[in-house]
Amino acid sequence: MKGKSGAKDFCVFALPGMFCFAAVVIVPFLYGVYLTLTDWNGVSSVKNFVGLSNFVGVVQDSQFWTSLLLTFKYVVFVVVIVNVLAFGIAYLLTRGIKGQNFFRAGFFTPNLIGGIVLGYIWQFVFSRVFVSIGEATGWSLFEISWLSDPTKAFAALVIVSVWQLSGYMILIYVAGFMGLSPDVMEAADIDGASGLVKLTNIIIPLMMSSITICLFLTLSRAFMVYDVNLSLTAGAPYGTTEMAAMHVYEKAFTSRQFGVGQAEALILFVIVAIISGLQVYLTKKQEVDA
């Protein structure tokens, strides 16, 4: 009877979720791997098998590697700035300052705005507001739109991404700070530990679970950035801010080289999976129990 009951519970509770996961994730992924071996253009009903020639096309696509290198640079800036900023703000918002709940909600608000809308809002800021400030003050930093200069456009992408992602990470770090054992912190104070010593030897080790989650989320989101990239710069000027995800989309849907685009997407997926998995493994090894 127990076996029948267990099978029934599995079918009722687990099977629907497994079916949805397979239909939405596993099957499309396997179909995408199959498309890397064809010359499909995204429209034709004919899919000719071409073997590994699409991956040869990826190797020969210098623009893909340029966009991937730019994406790595973007990821480093975003991950470091977001986590340092979110950790610091979360620390301040758990010190009992007046109105800290209001500030928590305020910092989280940008995360609720969709990337497309967010990009267009900041496009107006960088192209109109900053230029108006430059004209009124004579400051050379704001004389022309940031989006017309490759270096400043890249900085604009980083700023917008940091502004969007920091609020969500702040909430995770706040939860981590609130979960710290008061007894441990009190013992550190009794032992005369300074603020820096407590931070490096007690707080950060006990916060490693939150750090692991935040690093994973920022890494995955930064590598796969597309919506902000599309609406803020659209790869301009002259393709110098085109990230890997945008290049993959353009290759598959604009250039109609769906096989090559899918091969590039698969390579990007493998890179992100390896880096994210390595990050989770290394940071989890640093986690300690209070």
Side-chain angles (χ1 to χ4, degrees), residues 175-225:
F177 278 115
M178 294 179 68
L180 294 178
S181 173
D183 296 335
V184 174
M185 304 307 296
E186 184 177 349
D189 291 331
I190 293 174
D191 290 340
S194 64
L196 183 60
V197 171
K198 284 198 299 183
L199 179 65
T200 55
N201 296 332
I202 299 174
I203 295 177
I204 291 181
L206 293 177
M207 287 284 292
M208 282 309 298
S209 59
S210 297
I211 293 173
T212 298
I213 296 171
C214 289
L215 285 177
F216 174 78
L217 291 175
T218 48
L219 268 173
S220 57
R221 289 191 178 191
F223 265 114
M224 298 300 181
V225 63

Side-chain angles (χ1 to χ4, degrees), residues 134-168:
E135 292 174 351
T137 61
W139 294 345
S140 58
L141 182 64
F142 302 124
E143 284 183 348
I144 62 172
S145 170
W146 279 30
L147 305 182
S148 63
D149 177 84
T151 302
K152 291 180 180 178
F154 176 81
L157 276 170
V158 172
I159 290 172
V160 174
S161 298
V162 169
W163 190 76
Q164 181 187 31
L165 297 177
S166 294
Y168 189 45

Side-chain angles (χ1 to χ4, degrees), residues 275-288:
I275 293 176
S276 299
L278 186 62
Q279 171 262 308
V280 171
Y281 171 76
L282 292 176
T283 52
K284 271 192 169 294
K285 287 181 65 176
Q286 305 300 319
E287 294 181 11
V288 297

